[in-house]
Amino acid sequence: MKQTTLLILVALCLGNCKKSTQPVRKALIGAPTAFALGTQYISHTDTTLILEMKVGVFTSRDREVTTLNDSAFHSWPTSSLGIIFNKIEQHEALSMNSFSTILAFDQSESYAQYDPFNQRLRAVNKVLLDMESESKNEFGLAYYNRSDLFKNNLEIRIRDGGSPFQVSRESLLKWQFWMPDYEKGTANMYDALSMLIDTVSTYASNSNMSITVFMHAIDDRLGINYKTIINKAMAKRVKINIISLDPINKELSEISCRTGGFLHLIDRRTVLEVMDKGVPALTSILKTLSGNLNIYTINFTVRRSSGTFYSGYVVNDYLLLQEHDADGEEKIYNPLGFYVTIP
């Protein structure tokens, strides 16, 4: 009898041990959300400018929204520009480019009002799990803020030798779990980006290099100018991707567009809406960075209310993606920032 009981206990223990090694991939919350992948100049006359924007769309389970109508795309309500949509096409991009990126979190003030249930931590956990099957890609984590004493803080999880891309998933999970306890001060985004550009360009093995910023506050203007960041990133061929949980700022459009990154603007209208869209943005990073996407290409004409277009003229503004279902419920809502210099 004792031998039988012992065998049962051993079997149960082995079964539980086996289960514990298999990570549970829980479904995450999230509303459909869209982001700009870049805008390209096509042509212009004195009175019109034709541009082409690429837009990606995700839901919480990484399923692309494929039912958007042409009428879902609008001009930004407060824009002084006249927008005419010429053609909207959907197609699939399957480039699967290997990448090296550092995900940098804004640690200024507190996330409590945006993320009371720590959904972003679960989202990072999913990204780290997905990365295990993508051995050619490189992924690191960083956190930044300027302390109450105006100290410029940037924490990057690294191994001996300084590389942020050789840290184990377990180490990153433990580290990022405790980081919310250290949120304070203001956002030193541009100072942090300057140091991150040096780190990525030094240690990345892939030519597709980027920094992906998950932010909720614009830079505090106490350090480097954003134009310096753009020039440095372009010189070292590092893209800057931005997921903004609240600020709708034209500097962000210029940074992402000129460096070749994506811009994901989440316009907060309710507190819960921020992480409802922020979670899909995080969990979809691997697909976004590798280029394995269904995307929309929007060809549109821009008209100025006065004056003419000329070589060197800069257009920095927004489109709006908004669509409702048959019952009048909003399916999707996102600003789409664009920046173009006429050649």
Side-chain angles (χ1 to χ4, degrees), residues 24-300:
V24 178
R25 296 174 182 262
K26 296 181 180 179
L28 297 166
I29 63 170
T33 179
F35 52 100
L37 290 164
T39 306
Q40 181 181 354
Y41 165 87
I42 302 299
S43 63
H44 78 280
T45 67
D46 287 346
T47 58
T48 62
L49 169 65
I50 299 178
L51 304 177
E52 195 167 86
M53 174 188 283
K54 294 190 182 300
V55 177
V57 183
F58 286 110
T59 66
S60 61
R61 291 184 176 88
D62 295 350
R63 292 188 303 236
E64 292 80 10
V65 175
T66 58
T67 58
L68 292 175
N69 298 312
D70 290 359
S71 59
F73 295 92
H74 312 270
S75 59
W76 189 243
T78 59
S79 175
S80 62
L81 299 174
I83 303 292
I84 301 172
F85 293 96
N86 305 318
K87 183 170 61 175
I88 298 171
E89 297 179 327
Q90 182 191 5
H91 57 94
E92 188 174 14
L94 294 172
S95 57
M96 296 299 292
N97 296 318
S98 297
F99 63 83
S100 301
T101 196
I102 292 180
L103 175 60
F105 280 89
D106 177 358
Q107 282 285 101
S108 62
E109 300 175 351
S110 174
Y111 270 103
Q113 61 174 322
Y114 300 101
D115 189 19
F117 302 110
N118 287 331
Q119 290 296 328
R120 72 192 186 281
L121 302 185
R122 287 179 57 194
V124 171
N125 183 36
K126 181 182 182 302
V127 172
L128 293 173
L129 288 171
D130 291 345
M131 280 294 297
E132 291 183 338
S133 61
E134 302 287 344
S135 59
K136 293 183 179 180
N137 294 328
E138 295 179 324
F139 185 83
L141 285 178
Y143 295 82
Y144 65 87
N145 72 336
R146 200 183 307 279
S147 71
D148 297 335
L149 299 176
F150 303 105
K151 181 181 178 181
N152 190 23
N153 294 327
L154 172 66
E155 298 285 340
I156 310 174
R157 193 63 171 173
I158 59 175
R159 288 191 64 181
D160 294 341
S163 175
F165 300 124
Q166 305 298 324
V167 185
S168 69
R169 179 177 68 87
E170 290 76 12
S171 178
L172 290 176
L173 283 173
K174 291 177 183 177
W175 187 60
Q176 63 102 26
F177 179 81
W178 292 108
M179 290 311 295
D181 292 341
Y182 300 95
E183 293 162 359
K184 61 182 179 180
T186 58
N188 59 332
M189 176 177 166
Y190 300 151
D191 285 335
L193 280 172
S194 180
M195 292 181 279
L196 286 167
I197 291 168
D198 291 332
T199 301
V200 172
S201 60
T202 298
Y203 294 102
S205 300
N206 298 302
S207 59
N208 183 10
M209 300 179 291
S210 65
I211 300 161
T212 304
V213 183
F214 194 78
M215 56 170 287
H216 69 279
I218 195 67
D219 184 83
D220 59 16
R221 321 293 189 190
L222 298 176
I224 297 174
N225 183 277
Y226 79 97
K227 291 186 180 292
T228 302
I229 295 302
I230 292 172
N231 293 332
K232 184 174 184 178
M234 292 175 65
K236 298 199 173 187
R237 295 178 287 110
V238 177
K239 302 173 186 176
I240 299 178
N241 311 308
I242 299 174
I243 303 171
S244 173
L245 299 186
D246 205 6
I248 307 298
N249 187 288
K250 291 186 177 181
E251 290 179 10
L252 306 181
S253 297
E254 185 173 354
I255 293 169
S256 60
C257 286
R258 291 186 61 193
T259 63
F262 69 79
L263 177 61
H264 200 137
L265 297 173
I266 299 171
D267 187 14
R268 182 179 68 167
R269 295 173 298 168
T270 67
V271 172
L272 292 178
E273 186 176 19
V274 172
M275 290 313 296
D276 260 359
K277 295 179 178 180
V279 165
L282 279 176
T283 56
S284 303
I285 280 178
L286 269 63
K287 297 188 72 174
T288 306
L289 294 176
S290 65
N292 182 21
L293 294 168
N294 282 328
I295 62 177
Y296 291 85
T297 300
I298 303 108
N299 183 287
F300 61 101

